Every structure is written in C-alpha cells, then in structure tokens.
C-alpha cells in the first residue's frame, strides 16, 4: 500500500492544540504511526467469502456453510477423522483443473453425500458414500466414488442430505466458479 498520501490526511501542527510539554512534531509522528497501523490492517481485512475459510452456498433453497479445501493437503484430509458433520455443514473441494475424480471414505466415521461439479458449475454426478468396514485400509482397498465425467469441484455434505436436495445431472449450482478456480493450488 502506498502511504505517500498520509501527510495530507494529518492536520498541520498549527491547527492542533498541543500540550505545552509535548511538541507538535512528536504528536504528528505519533498520529502518523497510528494511522499507518490502522491502514495496514485494512490490507489484511477479511477477504471475500470465496477466499475465506468457508463458502455459503444455497442448493435448492437450502443454505450450507462449506469449508474450503483448495490446497492439496486440505483436499487429501477432507472430512476424514470427523465424528459428525453439521446439518448445514460440509466441504467444497477445488481442483486446479477439471479431470475425472475419485473419492474414498478414508478414516471417515460418518456417511457423506458427494456432489461432483464441472468447471461451469453443473452437477455431473452424485454419490451417497457409506462408512467403510475398515476405514483405515489403504486407498486401493476402499470403495472409489467417481465423477464419471471431468469435474473441478466436489461438495461433501452430511450423509442423507442428497435425497432432500433433489439434484439433477446438468443442474447448475450458484457457485462463484471463477473466484473458486483462482483459489486452487
């Protein structure tokens, strides 16, 4: 941030009443430092919703608060090791590019519903994933839930949510796809 404009925002020493034991210069310096500190905080203010840790998404009149998984390590962890998922909770996985995706229920203690979404925001496939008999098994031994078509996003919701959503293949979700794509690593 260019702070060159700050001196114009600070009143001149002549226009400020200053305590006799302090100097106008030190007051102005203090005021400048305070203003610079406040303005530097503006650059780190809460980013837009799609860049924060969660994304609010409405699917067929139901509002969800989805954790964002845009980095490889966050996508790998997903909802593993969770003992529960909130009724309006879940996670959105964002991939750098569209490809055929496959998810497994690695270390998952609760059922999860899965929605695969293409780069334009259209539903390409859904699954109701069941808890594995041995969720600690290697990925090769776990059931694979595939997108069947290229997908760039995947949404995981609490198990049992999909039937009530009545999603159709090809249905467009109101996702800010371009903003989300910029988050993917």
């Amino acid at each position: 941030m260019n702070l060159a404009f700050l001196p114009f925002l600070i009143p001149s020493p002549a226009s400020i009443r200053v305590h006799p034991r302090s100097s106008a210069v030190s007051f102005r310096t203090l005021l400048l430092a305070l203003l610079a500190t406040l303005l530097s905080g503006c650059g780190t203010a809460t980013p837009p919703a799609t860049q924060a840790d969660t994304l609010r998404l409405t699917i067929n009149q139901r509002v969800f608060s989805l954790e964002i998984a845009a980095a490889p390590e966050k996508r790998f962890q997903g909802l593993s090791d969770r003992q529960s998922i909130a009724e309006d909770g879940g996670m959105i996985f964002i991939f750098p590019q569209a490809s055929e995706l496959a998810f497994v229920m690695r270390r998952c203690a609760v059922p999860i519903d899965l929605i695969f979404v293409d780069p334009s925001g259209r539903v390409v496939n859904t699954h109701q994933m069941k808890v594995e008999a041995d969720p600690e098994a290697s990925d090769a031994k776990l059931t694979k839930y595939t997108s069947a078509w290229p997908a760039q996003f995947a949404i995981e919701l609490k198990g049992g949510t999909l039937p009530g959503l009545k999603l159709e293949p090809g249905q467009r979700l109101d996702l800010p796809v371009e903003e989300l794509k910029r988050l993917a690593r």
Side-chain angles (χ1 to χ4, degrees):
M1 173 187 285
N2 182 357
L3 300 178
F5 68 91
L6 284 178
F8 300 108
L9 296 176
I10 310 296
S12 70
S15 66
I16 301 173
R17 288 192 151 203
V18 179
H19 190 276
R21 292 189 196 143
S22 66
S23 72
V25 174
S26 65
F27 178 77
R28 186 174 190 168
T29 303
L30 176 64
L31 196 53
L32 255 173
L34 178 62
L35 189 56
T37 301
L38 289 173
L39 287 175
S40 69
C42 292
T44 58
T46 305
T50 57
Q51 292 177 7
D53 293 336
T54 60
L55 170 73
R56 283 181 53 89
L57 176 65
T58 302
I59 303 174
N60 290 350
Q61 286 124 17
R62 279 207 49 200
V63 179
F64 296 93
S65 180
L66 304 174
E67 296 174 45
I68 294 176
E73 60 278 0
K74 183 91 175 187
R75 288 191 301 263
F76 182 81
Q77 176 64 32
L79 293 174
S80 297
D81 304 317
R82 305 282 177 100
Q83 297 304 308
S84 65
I85 301 170
E87 293 290 327
D88 66 343
M91 185 172 279
I92 182 165
F93 298 77
I94 307 163
F95 295 87
Q97 53 199 325
S99 63
E100 189 171 326
L101 302 174
F103 277 46
V104 296
M105 291 286 282
R106 180 187 322 103
R107 297 185 331 269
C108 293
V110 295
I112 296 175
D113 288 352
L114 177 63
I115 305 165
F116 287 110
V117 181
D118 76 6
S120 71
R122 293 187 185 280
V123 174
V124 295
N125 205 357
T126 62
H127 295 281
Q128 291 182 292
M129 302 188 297
K130 306 292 181 219
V131 175
E132 293 280 347
D134 181 9
E136 298 290 334
S138 70
D139 286 4
K141 294 182 180 180
L142 297 174
T143 304
K144 308 265 182 307
Y145 299 91
T146 66
S147 61
W149 296 96
Q152 192 161 9
F153 310 99
I155 299 170
E156 289 186 340
L157 304 171
K158 180 177 182 169
T161 303
L162 270 176
L165 293 178
K166 298 180 178 23
L167 288 174
E168 298 289 332
Q171 180 178 338
R172 184 182 299 274
L173 300 182
D174 191 22
L175 284 172
V177 293
E178 295 308 317
E179 291 176 46
L180 291 172
K181 289 176 188 178
R182 286 192 285 273
L183 297 176
R185 292 188 271 146

